Amino acid sequence: MKSILLKTALLLTALIATMLSVAIRLDYDVKKKWLLDKDIIYDTDIYGDLYQICLIEDFRIPVEPRIRQYQFSEKHPSSDDAEMFILGDSFLDHPRQIGIPELISDSLGIKVFYDSHYLSPLFMMGQYGVEKGKRRVLILEVVERYLNTIDPTLTPEQEIGQDKREEQIEASKPVPIINVFTGILDYFFPGNQDVEFEYFLNRSKYIGRITSLISTVRFRLFGYINEMTPVYSRNPPFLFYHETVDQSKHSYFHKHTDEEIRGVAANLAYMRDYLSLTYNLELVVMPVPNKITIYNEFVTGVSYDNYLPRLYRELENEGVHVIKLYDDFRKSKELMYYPNDTHWNTDGMNLGYQKTIEKLLELGKLDL
């Protein structure tokens, strides 16, 4: 009897969850504001991206509210009108601070085009249809953990290969009758719905608080924490992203060989030459330190292998312009990163902006 009741309860739970997910069709780009306005979910965006992963109250530290991003504002020029290009990742596209592209645009009164490079900046430049014209600067920002991942050989010409791959994928699709059936299923059960459904539950005004309570109790009693935030400091309360503390080549603990560093520098030198010859753009590279690179003493006694300073030297040997942030970040008395977020905070962004201006002045690229 108990077994039947348990199976019935599980079946009803699964049925309710399925009906709820179908009814809502969790498209957060469309429905998030409605859910917030109706007080159905609470906005944990105000507590940092790593807190949202672990939901442990010990790391529930408020951060600045979101603001309008430069890329989507009326200030942002087209690539055709740009006087300077900046390609970056989430450090420059972070919606909590006025970013370096906007700071440069406002302070210098020039048209700065910004976009995310997705680790393939040469491909991105080809997508914009940039024409070779007068000499302009392109600032490429890459966070430390992805410097050895960025692809310098992905050029616009490779779009042809991409088209062929897409044709092959199209040709391998099931026959139309199966497509109709799967299309109906895809409508009611989008591919990312499991993730979004979990996201909805975590942020629910009621269930979300239970999730947070359970996560907090497990952490305080047993030290359990989400595998995406496995390394942390209790005092001060700091969270570190898994990619920077695991055994991968992105990690703080990965010992970079001289050969690896020469390879990264050679890749960036390739980009410099390609951008100059193809678009008459002058490359300036900004490697952003991983959070743990600056605050490693909070969580480990393992010394830093000086990856960034060694890379700076190799880039200079290759003749690549580089904005050096490491020493200034380490020496700063101000906190440069959010304790419960992967990204730098407003002080970090502003120091990055100051070092960028200094480098542009050094290169004679500013008419001040």
Side-chain angles (χ1 to χ4, degrees):
M1 184 66 179
K2 289 182 179 179
S3 177
I4 295 174
L5 289 174
L6 178 60
K7 289 179 180 178
T8 303
L10 290 173
L11 180 62
L12 287 173
T13 302
L15 181 62
I16 292 170
T18 301
M19 291 174 63
L20 179 61
S21 64
V22 170
I24 295 177
R25 289 196 74 250
L26 297 172
D27 182 353
Y28 267 76
D29 288 337
V30 177
K31 296 190 172 66
K32 179 179 175 182
K33 186 177 186 303
W34 180 83
L35 291 165
L36 285 169
D37 290 345
K38 294 297 182 182
D39 208 31
I40 295 173
I41 63 172
Y42 61 94
D43 188 2
T44 58
D45 284 349
I46 61 174
Y47 300 117
D49 67 344
L50 296 181
Y51 166 78
Q52 291 179 59
I53 293 173
C54 70
L55 292 174
I56 294 170
E57 288 295 307
D58 303 59
F59 305 104
R60 193 172 183 260
I61 305 167
V63 296
E64 299 99 326
R66 289 174 174 262
I67 60 174
R68 182 268 300 124
Q69 290 169 264
Y70 170 71
Q71 187 178 0
F72 307 111
S73 74
E74 68 286 349
K75 293 181 181 181
H76 192 259
S78 68
S79 57
D80 293 334
D81 295 331
E83 298 171 79
M84 178 183 293
F85 291 89
I86 299 181
L87 298 182
D89 52 35
S90 57
F91 278 79
L92 296 193
D93 195 31
H94 203 272
R96 300 195 195 285
Q97 314 108 10
I98 298 176
I100 290 173
E102 186 169 2
L103 290 170
I104 291 177
S105 176
D106 289 348
S107 62
L108 303 182
I110 62 175
K111 296 179 180 179
V112 178
F113 178 86
Y114 170 78
D115 202 357
S116 301
H117 55 62
Y118 304 112
L119 302 178
S120 53
L122 299 187
F123 177 80
M124 298 300 298
M125 295 307 294
Q127 292 286 86
Y128 307 141
V130 176
E131 296 184 358
K132 189 174 184 178
K134 65 180 181 180
R135 191 70 166 172
R136 290 173 289 182
V137 169
L138 185 151
I139 298 172
L140 175 66
E141 175 268 317
V142 188
V143 69
E144 179 181 357
R145 65 181 181 268
Y146 291 143
L147 283 165
N148 49 16
T149 305
I150 199 163
D151 187 350
T153 61
L154 188 56
T155 63
E157 288 74 16
Q158 289 179 285
E159 291 180 67
I160 299 172
Q162 179 65 29
D163 290 340
K164 288 181 179 177
R165 284 192 292 274
E166 289 174 355
E167 289 174 9
Q168 292 172 351
I169 293 170
E170 188 68 29
S172 66
K173 285 184 177 180
V175 293
I177 189 168
I178 297 177
N179 278 345
V180 171
F181 179 68
T182 56
I184 293 171
L185 289 179
D186 287 343
Y187 177 81
F188 288 107
F189 304 100
N192 61 342
Q193 194 174 59
D194 287 346
V195 174
E196 291 180 334
F197 185 58
E198 181 180 357
Y199 186 65
F200 169 79
L201 292 179
N202 287 343
R203 292 193 175 206
S204 164
K205 282 285 186 179
Y206 305 102
I207 301 175
R209 296 185 187 279
I210 296 173
T211 303
S212 179
L213 176 62
I214 293 170
S215 298
T216 303
V217 169
R218 286 193 303 179
F219 174 73
R220 291 178 180 175
L221 291 181
F222 308 108
Y224 177 84
I225 194 168
N226 190 289
E227 62 184 9
M228 293 183 69
T229 57
V231 172
Y232 57 87
S233 163
R234 289 179 182 267
N235 186 25
F238 256 58
L239 291 169
F240 295 92
Y241 191 50
H242 70 105
E243 283 188 341
T244 64
V245 293
D246 57 20
Q247 297 302 313
S248 71
K249 65 179 181 180
H250 308 298
S251 172
Y252 171 85
F253 299 104
H254 175 71
K255 296 304 180 184
H256 299 86
T257 65
D258 292 340
E259 183 179 0
E260 283 181 280
I261 291 173
R262 284 193 294 269
V264 174
N267 286 343
L268 292 168
Y270 175 96
M271 286 189 187
R272 175 207 54 206
D273 295 340
Y274 187 93
L275 290 166
S276 182
L277 290 170
T278 308
Y279 305 111
N280 199 23
L281 292 172
E282 187 162 358
L283 178 65
V284 179
V285 180
M286 177 196 285
V288 173
N290 288 333
K291 179 177 172 181
I292 191 170
T293 294
I294 304 303
Y295 300 110
N296 53 78
E297 66 270 16
F298 291 167
V299 291
T300 182
V302 176
S303 59
Y304 184 46
D305 71 347
N306 285 318
Y307 175 42
L308 286 181
R310 291 161 64 201
L311 179 61
Y312 296 158
R313 290 193 293 271
E314 197 61 40
L315 286 172
E316 289 177 331
N317 290 340
E318 290 278 2
V320 177
H321 304 315
V322 57
I323 299 169
K324 303 175 185 177
L325 301 178
Y326 174 74
D327 285 339
D328 291 85
F329 272 50
R330 284 287 293 176
K331 293 173 183 175
S332 177
K333 294 180 181 179
E334 302 297 328
L335 195 62
M336 294 284 104
Y337 293 73
Y338 294 110
N340 54 354
D341 198 300
T342 317
H343 303 93
W344 57 17
N345 58 22
T346 301
D347 288 326
M349 183 77 79
N350 289 339
L351 184 51
Y353 162 71
Q354 292 171 21
K355 298 300 292 183
T356 301
I357 293 296
E358 288 176 14
K359 175 53 83 172
L360 294 175
L361 283 169
E362 176 190 321
L363 297 175
K365 300 301 176 183
L366 300 183
D367 184 17
L368 300 178

